[in-house]
Amino acid sequence: MSELPGDLLYTKEHEWLRREEDGSVTIGITDHAQTALGDLVYVELPEVGRDLDNGGDMAVVESVKAASDVFAPIAGNVVAVNEDLSDDPEKINSDPYGDGWIVRLKPAGGDDGELMAPDAYQTFIDELDD
Amino acid sequence: MPFIPHTEDDTREMLEAIGVASLDELFDEIPEALKIDVPDDLPDALSEMQITRLMRERAAMDGAPLCFIGAGAYEHHIPTAVWDIATRGEFYSAYTPYQAEASQGTLQTIYEYQTMITELTGLDVSNASLYDGASALAEAALMAVRSNRSANSKQVLLAPGVSPMYCKVATAITGRQGLSFDYLPMNPQTGNVAFDELDEDSSPVAVVIQQPSFLGTLEGVDRLTDWARAHDAYVIAVVNPISLALLKAPGRWGATGADIVCGEGQPLGIPLSSGGPYFGFMTCKQKYVRQMPGRIVGRTTDLDGNSGFALTLQAREQHIRRSRATSNICTNQGLMVTAATIYMSLLGYDGLARVARQSQRNTTRLAAGLCGLPGVERAFEGPHFHEVGLRLDRPVGPVLVALAEKNILGGYDLSSDYPDLGNVVLVCATETKTDDDIDAYVDEMRQVISSSAAQSA
């Protein structure tokens, strides 16, 4: 059973968001996603400074058996990427909500799209697993 | 994987097991409207003896001319051992190597090939090959667009000596993806880039440099490489693999070396065979490997710690990454690459260098002989490899026709691709030509020239 931190928001694409104190937003993929992917071998990160649309391509996570796109859950500008993932992509497997964070965005504002509270996301993945 | 035949009894048994009455019934999902009978206008079948006779007669029509045409495909001596080994059943009908445990021989052959090609080109990684040199250039351009994030451009600049056929193919392949291919200005004296006419404001995603050039000249690769890097452009080298035995490897061009190297592998033991099959090679710097198209064979250890080979980095490929794959290619020119690997193993560096030097020497001798005739002169100043452009005092076409009647394929007429250069013919003499062959060409040319008057372009 995946543990879901209560202070995050979630998307149907299995990304999580944390709103930071300085207004930026940290993004990663959920425990459900990393379990499905398997051991990660590579993460393709965006360049700092790039503008992303809501739902646009943000990163690619590659495991031994699949390569998955990670989409931007909100529109924004990339202010930081987790460089540690270049040498240690498995951080996403071992600590998906902490050291396995992927990108930090400065939100562009506007429509935030479909962000779910933890229990809504839990219901969503329970229905998937059925 | 051996051939497993089955008899009519086997077939009947299999059909019974699945509850199907006949082979026709097995395929009955195909709508009747799509099925055809044998067309009326097909001639009657010929026996094997009749067919053999027919093909022999047709082959005799080719004749056995002396070939002095290069222009992208080169006649070199192929040691008999190359195809003796490459046509062994294990190589000739080896299956595609996705199942590593059943394909170690194939995978090791490709791995050896990749190793040799990276050494020749001076870069870090190679793929398992592409279809040919022209499509390899298209793939290299697409790879540069994917990798080169700092350039905000899809414009690819070509040195003037990049093959016009390669440019056409690359344009056709990448047409719907917004890439443009534009030639840099040419210095007509040298056939190479006119450095003083370069636009310092240009910001291409990549600069393509062909060495030796399509015109047979040697481009200022160091200077052009540095210029490209100063403009944040990738450098794509298009090279002749035999020439790499003599010329500086693209990995050492300029201050940074080329980023991607590609080219036509045909000179490495592949016969001319009317244009194909050939194979394209591609190598790149380690940091771009995840953007490289095509199969890549890697070396690893199995669960028991034994060394073995497998296809690797497959998440680039379309069977995993689908529309986001680095390319739609899901194959390689396995048989051609096997032959090329055997060729390179047999010749080694010394052998390749001898082939290269003898070809260069023969072309020098041919050019000197032809330029001794009235109305023939070198079109470009500067050194050449095994091809040279010669300017005639009359249109090239009729001269080549006259030579062909004397069983000599004199060269490639450049005037349709490079109309501004005038009447220039590209001639090539590889190590397969003897001094007598070269003298014969010069003699025939002398007669062709004297038998008709000069005409200015």
Side-chain angles (χ1 to χ4, degrees):
Chain A
M1 180 59 101
S2 318
E3 41 130 302
L4 277 188
D7 59 333
L8 306 179
L9 291 173
Y10 300 86
T11 72
K12 285 204 171 103
E13 318 304 342
H14 309 290
E15 292 119 17
W16 56 261
L17 268 116
R18 183 173 55 236
R19 296 196 193 277
E20 308 292 354
E21 278 169 20
D22 62 0
S24 68
V25 164
T26 306
I27 298 159
I29 61 172
T30 64
D31 190 54
H32 181 272
Q34 71 79 15
T35 309
L37 280 168
D39 293 338
L40 288 180
V41 296
Y42 180 68
V43 181
E44 188 187 302
L45 298 163
E47 322 84 73
V48 171
R50 190 153 133 227
D51 283 316
L52 303 175
D53 294 328
N54 186 337
D57 293 342
M58 187 175 77
V60 181
V61 289
E62 193 181 308
S63 69
V64 277
K65 57 178 181 172
S68 270
D69 297 297
V70 183
F71 304 105
I74 59 168
N77 182 270
V78 179
V79 297
V81 296
N82 188 352
E83 303 282 3
D84 289 346
L85 295 177
S86 311
D87 292 323
D88 266 320
E90 321 88 61
K91 284 196 160 128
I92 295 182
N93 298 113
S94 55
D95 192 9
Y97 302 109
D99 285 342
W101 69 275
I102 301 176
V103 170
R104 192 162 290 139
L105 294 184
K106 182 175 138 193
D111 180 24
D112 271 354
E114 291 192 26
L115 300 175
M116 291 181 265
D119 35 349
Y121 179 65
Q122 186 65 61
T123 311
F124 173 65
I125 57 179
D126 286 342
E127 275 160 18
L128 285 179
D129 288 342
D130 285 340
Chain B
M1 207 173 285
F3 170 66
I4 304 170
H6 47 263
T7 63
E8 283 182 20
D9 285 345
D10 292 330
T11 306
R12 207 174 307 122
E13 211 180 304
M14 287 191 271
L15 287 174
E16 257 175 50
I18 60 173
V20 169
S22 66
L23 281 174
D24 277 342
E25 198 188 303
L26 188 61
F27 295 109
D28 65 6
E29 294 150 32
I30 302 174
E32 279 305 316
L34 295 178
K35 295 185 188 174
I36 54 166
D37 279 325
V38 176
D40 291 331
D41 49 357
L42 262 188
D44 289 336
L46 298 179
S47 68
E48 184 183 297
M49 189 170 80
Q50 288 169 312
I51 283 275
T52 307
R53 179 92 179 253
L54 175 67
M55 289 302 156
R56 214 175 266 143
E57 283 161 12
R58 296 233 178 120
M61 289 162 60
D62 279 346
L66 279 180
C67 180
F68 293 93
I69 306 175
Y74 302 93
E75 183 188 10
H76 289 288
H77 171 69
I78 303 171
T80 313
V82 171
W83 287 96
D84 249 31
I85 299 171
T87 51
R88 285 178 64 107
E90 303 96 318
F91 287 123
Y92 201 58
S93 58
Y95 195 57
T96 196
Y98 283 106
Q99 192 183 356
E101 61 273 29
S103 311
Q104 286 299 296
T106 299
L107 291 167
Q108 180 170 356
T109 305
I110 299 172
Y111 186 81
E112 305 286 359
Y113 157 80
Q114 288 173 189
T115 307
M116 293 179 195
I117 290 290
T118 51
E119 283 182 12
L120 259 187
T121 57
L123 287 187
D124 305 317
V125 286
S126 167
N127 68 15
S129 72
L130 301 165
Y131 295 111
D132 62 9
S135 60
L137 174 58
E139 294 282 10
L142 288 168
M143 184 175 158
V145 167
R146 279 192 304 273
S147 304
N148 190 354
R149 303 292 187 81
S150 46
N152 232 328
S153 158
K154 288 189 177 181
Q155 185 196 35
V156 178
L157 292 178
L158 310 173
V162 171
S163 162
M165 297 134 184
Y166 283 24
C167 179
K168 283 195 193 104
V169 168
T171 305
I173 290 176
T174 66
R176 301 287 172 116
Q177 301 186 57
L179 274 74
S180 69
F181 293 88
D182 298 302
Y183 278 96
L184 292 170
M186 181 199 293
N187 173 340
Q189 258 86 57
T190 60
N192 294 334
V193 161
F195 279 104
D196 48 6
E197 289 175 43
L198 291 178
D199 176 8
E200 289 307 323
D201 290 330
S202 47
S203 53
V205 67
V207 174
V208 181
I209 308 174
Q210 181 163 338
Q211 184 80 322
S213 79
F214 184 73
L215 303 168
T217 64
L218 295 183
E219 183 60 81
V221 295
D222 292 328
R223 192 169 166 194
L224 195 47
T225 297
D226 291 337
W227 182 87
R229 292 317 274 156
H231 287 78
D232 283 329
Y234 279 23
V235 173
I236 298 172
V238 178
V239 291
N240 175 312
I242 302 277
S243 76
L244 292 177
L246 295 182
L247 299 176
K248 181 157 65 173
R252 293 192 283 280
W253 287 359
T256 54
D259 296 288
I260 306 169
V261 180
C262 61
E264 178 53 64
Q266 175 274 328
L268 298 171
I270 313 298
L272 290 175
S273 37
S274 305
Y278 295 163
F279 74 91
F281 59 86
M282 180 184 282
T283 64
C284 70
K285 290 184 175 168
Q286 178 69 34
K287 57 184 171 175
Y288 308 131
V289 67
R290 286 175 184 277
Q291 292 302 331
M292 190 153 68
R295 294 180 175 155
I296 301 176
V297 174
R299 187 178 192 178
T300 183
T301 52
D302 65 12
L303 286 176
D304 299 327
N306 299 313
S307 177
F309 303 92
L311 291 179
T312 186
L313 292 174
Q314 290 195 68
R316 296 162 305 116
E317 296 191 70
Q318 56 140 5
H319 57 282
I320 295 192
R321 199 82 170 89
R322 299 156 92 183
S323 59
R324 312 290 198 100
T326 52
S327 168
N328 67 341
I329 194 172
C330 50
T331 186
N332 68 305
Q333 285 283 50
L335 188 62
M336 299 303 120
V337 149
T338 301
T341 308
I342 299 165
Y343 177 88
M344 286 190 278
S345 312
L346 287 175
L347 267 66
Y349 272 114
D350 275 351
L352 274 181
R354 282 208 297 276
V355 168
R357 250 182 249 120
Q358 188 62 26
S359 299
Q360 203 264 354
R361 176 212 172 259
N362 282 355
T363 299
T364 304
R365 192 163 189 281
L366 175 63
L370 291 173
C371 291
L373 303 174
V376 183
E377 57 173 19
R378 290 280 302 274
F380 308 112
E381 301 162 1
H384 60 84
F385 175 49
H386 64 5
E387 278 184 289
V388 76
L390 300 177
R391 183 169 283 114
L392 306 182
D393 62 358
R394 65 200 67 197
V396 173
V399 172
L400 292 180
V401 167
L403 286 171
E405 275 158 23
K406 301 298 182 152
N407 229 16
I408 292 177
L409 301 177
Y412 180 77
D413 183 354
L414 285 175
S415 50
S416 47
D417 298 308
Y418 296 89
D420 294 342
L421 291 179
N423 300 320
V424 180
V425 61
L426 194 62
V427 304
C428 167
T430 62
E431 85 285 6
T432 57
K433 301 298 172 288
T434 63
D435 286 352
D436 285 346
D437 293 333
I438 294 170
D439 293 342
Y441 183 166
V442 175
D443 284 337
E444 290 304 334
M445 182 67 108
R446 184 179 295 117
Q447 290 181 42
V448 169
I449 286 176
S450 59
S451 67
S452 67
Q455 308 154 46
S456 34

